[in-house]
């Protein structure tokens, strides 16, 4: 009996050691790909290295054991765990020579039956017409770098407001409030008509502003609101020309009420700790 217990203990120890070794090797290989991607200069080289990294990461994350592993040591990639620990997002981007960006990502989660789900996100933002009203899926995702996750409920279902950044191009940048939820199979869905913005309702909110400006967009836990800079052009003749827009030193908010995120204009945040946060994820660009 003692020999059996000892043999079982050694077997478990060996399996755990082997998995830990494999996991460290996987992280090492990921770092190599990411460093190569960071050093790439041409668009073709970036695409080639990124394809290798994408395939390797997909193979690695296909093992459900990785959901419990930390990946904080990976350079140039964002790893966000949901506040309720129900899913995790891996997120990164490439900047091309023409100033545009492309985004990539994976989502790890478990479905209602407890089965592990790994979902790859494919950026199709350039092909999406009227993106503020579009219902989207992982294969036609409006790409962004996410830096904050805000859980909320509607009719007992779980939803998440994702705050993201998009470098867009050489003239303007974007901030995005995306709504994400999961179907019964555990596949992520994007977009829900929960925003009441002045005279319109939309499924996601997209702010566009000058590449020279920085915009604050964050969740303020004291106010229980998504708080953001109000954007405006420097003069009325530039209205609608978003490459000239920037913060005008006033703030607006979105407050969740009766299943909707309702616009609260002219928000007084003078006594609130609202910082002009430039998310760490902005350093991920290749």
């Amino acid at each position: 009996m003692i020999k059996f217990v000892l043999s079982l203990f050694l077997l478990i120890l060996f399996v755990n050691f082997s998995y830990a070794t494999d996991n460290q090797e996987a992280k090492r290989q990921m770092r190599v790909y990411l460093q190569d991607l960071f050093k790439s200069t041409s668009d073709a080289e970036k695409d080639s290295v990124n394809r290798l990294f994408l395939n390797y990461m997909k193979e690695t994350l296909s093992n459900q054991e990785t959901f419990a592993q930390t990946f904080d040591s990976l350079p140039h990639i964002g790893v966000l765990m949901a506040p309720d620990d129900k899913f995790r997002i891996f997120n990164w981007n490439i900047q091309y020579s023409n100033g545009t960006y492309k985004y990539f990502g994976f989502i790890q989660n478990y479905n209602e039956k407890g089965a592990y789900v790994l979902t790859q996100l494919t950026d199709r933002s350039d092909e999406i017409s009227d993106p503020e009203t579009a219902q989207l899926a992982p294969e036609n995702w409006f790409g962004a770098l996410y830096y904050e996750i805000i859980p909320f409920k509607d009719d007992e279902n779980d939803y998440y407001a994702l705050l993201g950044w998009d470098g867009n191009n050489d003239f303007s940048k974007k901030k995005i409030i995306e709504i994400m939820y999961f179907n019964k199979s555990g596949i992520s869905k994007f977009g829900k008509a929960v925003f009441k913005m002045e005279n319109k309702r939309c499924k996601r909110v997209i702010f566009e502003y000058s590449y020279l400006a920085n915009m604050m967009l964050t969740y303020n836990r004291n106010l229980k609101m998504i708080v953001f800079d109000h954007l405006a052009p420097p003069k009325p003749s530039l209205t609608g020309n978003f490459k000239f827009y920037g913060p005008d030193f006033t703030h607006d908010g979105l407050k969740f009420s009766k299943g909707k995120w309702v616009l609260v204009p002219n928000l007084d945040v003078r006594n609130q700790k609202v910082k002009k946060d430039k998310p760490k994820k902005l350093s991920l660009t290749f």
Side-chain angles (χ1 to χ4, degrees), residues 19 23 27 63-71 81 88 108 110 116:
Y19 175 75
N23 188 53
K27 291 179 182 178
N63 185 340
Q64 69 177 21
E65 299 295 332
T66 60
F67 188 81
Q69 301 297 316
T70 59
F71 288 83
M81 178 66 80
R88 180 165 60 176
Q108 291 180 306
Y110 289 86
Y116 175 68

Side-chain angles (χ1 to χ4, degrees), residues 107 121 134-138 141 178-180 188-191 204:
I107 299 177
L121 302 176
Q135 185 72 38
L136 303 176
W141 168 57
E178 177 69 86
I179 300 299
M180 190 187 78
S188 53
K189 301 293 181 181
F190 299 93
R204 68 184 49 77

Side-chain angles (χ1 to χ4, degrees), residues 174-241:
K174 294 179 180 180
K175 285 284 183 77
I176 297 158
I177 310 175
E178 177 69 86
I179 300 299
M180 190 187 78
Y181 58 97
F182 297 96
N183 64 16
K184 291 182 179 180
S185 298
I187 304 299
S188 53
K189 301 293 181 181
F190 299 93
K192 184 173 174 63
V194 294
F195 295 106
K196 296 180 69 174
M197 305 290 291
E198 296 179 332
N199 297 322
K200 66 176 182 178
R201 290 193 179 188
C202 48
K203 294 182 178 178
R204 68 184 49 77
V205 180
I206 302 173
F207 305 95
E208 186 174 359
Y209 55 99
S210 169
Y211 81 101
L212 295 172
N214 287 320
M215 179 194 178
M216 179 270 294
L217 171 66
T218 189
Y219 184 72
N220 186 293
R221 284 164 178 76
N222 293 329
L223 295 173
K224 295 183 179 179
M225 289 188 194
I226 299 173
V227 177
F228 49 92
D229 286 320
H230 183 85
L231 301 174
K235 52 185 179 180
S237 62
L238 294 173
T239 299
N241 198 341

